[in-house]
């Protein structure tokens, strides 16, 4: 894909993130996850992760970010989880994090997951730190304390 095509796809996804259609917002979240490192994309991803109208947007965006299987994606989801005000949004995000944890363990990447949590436990964002620490506790299940 050329740089112009990439820029056009980014612009289209940014435009679709504002759509009235939940399916277009969800697709935009999935596409924007590829550009999660970009400063201008972060706030839009957070808005999609905390979508006030449809948890499908939350789910698709979180899943795409976590499918990156990197610190950037996990951090974005934990940041949104720490800011979720509606229980259904927090529940959806927590479920996605639990799935991510399960993928990492099943793929024999437990050490990588533990390393990601350790790095995020020192993050500048208090919410990210708290979520990473919660997930780091032995025996702690992700869905136990969310939304309370």
């Amino acid at each position: 894909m050329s740089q112009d095509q990439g820029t056009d796809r980014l612009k289209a996804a940014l435009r679709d993130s504002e759509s009235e259609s939940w399916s277009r917002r969800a697709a935009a979240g999935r596409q924007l996850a590829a550009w999660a490192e970009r400063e201008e994309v972060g706030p839009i991803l957070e808005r999609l992760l905390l979508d006030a109208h449809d948890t499908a947007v939350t789910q698709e965006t979180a899943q795409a970010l976590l499918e990156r299987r990197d610190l950037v994606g996990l951090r974005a989801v934990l940041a949104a989880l720490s800011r979720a005000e509606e229980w259904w949004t927090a529940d959806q995000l927590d479920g996605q994090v639990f799935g991510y944890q399960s993928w990492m363990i099943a793929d024999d990447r437990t050490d990588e997951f533990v390393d990601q949590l350790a790095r995020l436990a020192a993050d500048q964002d208090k919410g990210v730190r708290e979520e990473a620490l919660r997930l780091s506790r032995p025996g702690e299940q992700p869905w136990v304390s969310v939304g309370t």
Side-chain angles (χ1 to χ4, degrees):
M1 172 178 14
S2 74
Q3 186 173 351
D4 288 341
Q5 289 173 319
T7 301
D8 290 345
R9 289 182 67 185
L10 175 59
K11 287 180 183 177
L14 290 170
R15 188 174 46 253
D16 286 347
S17 75
E18 301 283 343
S19 176
E20 293 291 320
S21 164
W22 70 266
S23 61
R24 288 184 82 169
R25 289 193 317 277
R30 187 160 273 292
Q31 293 167 354
L32 290 170
W35 289 288
E37 302 88 357
R38 294 184 66 151
E39 190 175 323
E40 71 273 22
V41 174
I44 294 160
L45 284 168
E46 183 167 317
R47 179 174 44 80
L48 293 170
L49 286 165
L50 299 173
D51 192 90
H53 305 289
D54 202 300
T55 57
V57 177
T58 300
Q59 177 183 346
E60 289 295 313
T61 305
Q63 187 173 14
L65 283 163
L66 294 171
E67 284 174 354
R68 293 169 52 108
R69 299 197 181 186
D70 66 4
L71 200 61
V72 172
L74 180 58
R75 184 189 186 284
V77 175
L78 293 184
L81 179 56
S82 75
R83 291 166 183 67
E85 294 181 8
E86 304 297 341
W87 70 265
W88 53 84
T89 302
D91 187 56
Q92 187 70 52
L93 290 168
D94 218 41
Q96 293 300 316
V97 172
F98 179 70
Y100 176 72
Q101 178 183 8
S102 297
W103 296 333
M104 294 295 275
I105 292 168
D107 287 352
D108 200 27
R109 296 171 75 174
T110 305
D111 290 343
E112 186 177 340
F113 180 67
V114 169
D115 179 59
Q116 288 176 349
L117 290 178
R119 292 175 65 192
L120 291 173
D123 196 87
Q124 292 179 350
D125 184 297
K126 180 182 179 192
V128 171
R129 284 193 315 268
E130 289 175 352
E131 289 300 326
L133 288 169
R134 179 178 64 88
L135 291 167
S136 298
R137 288 188 209 113
E140 185 84 12
Q141 296 300 317
W143 59 84
V144 171
S145 61
V146 171
T148 56

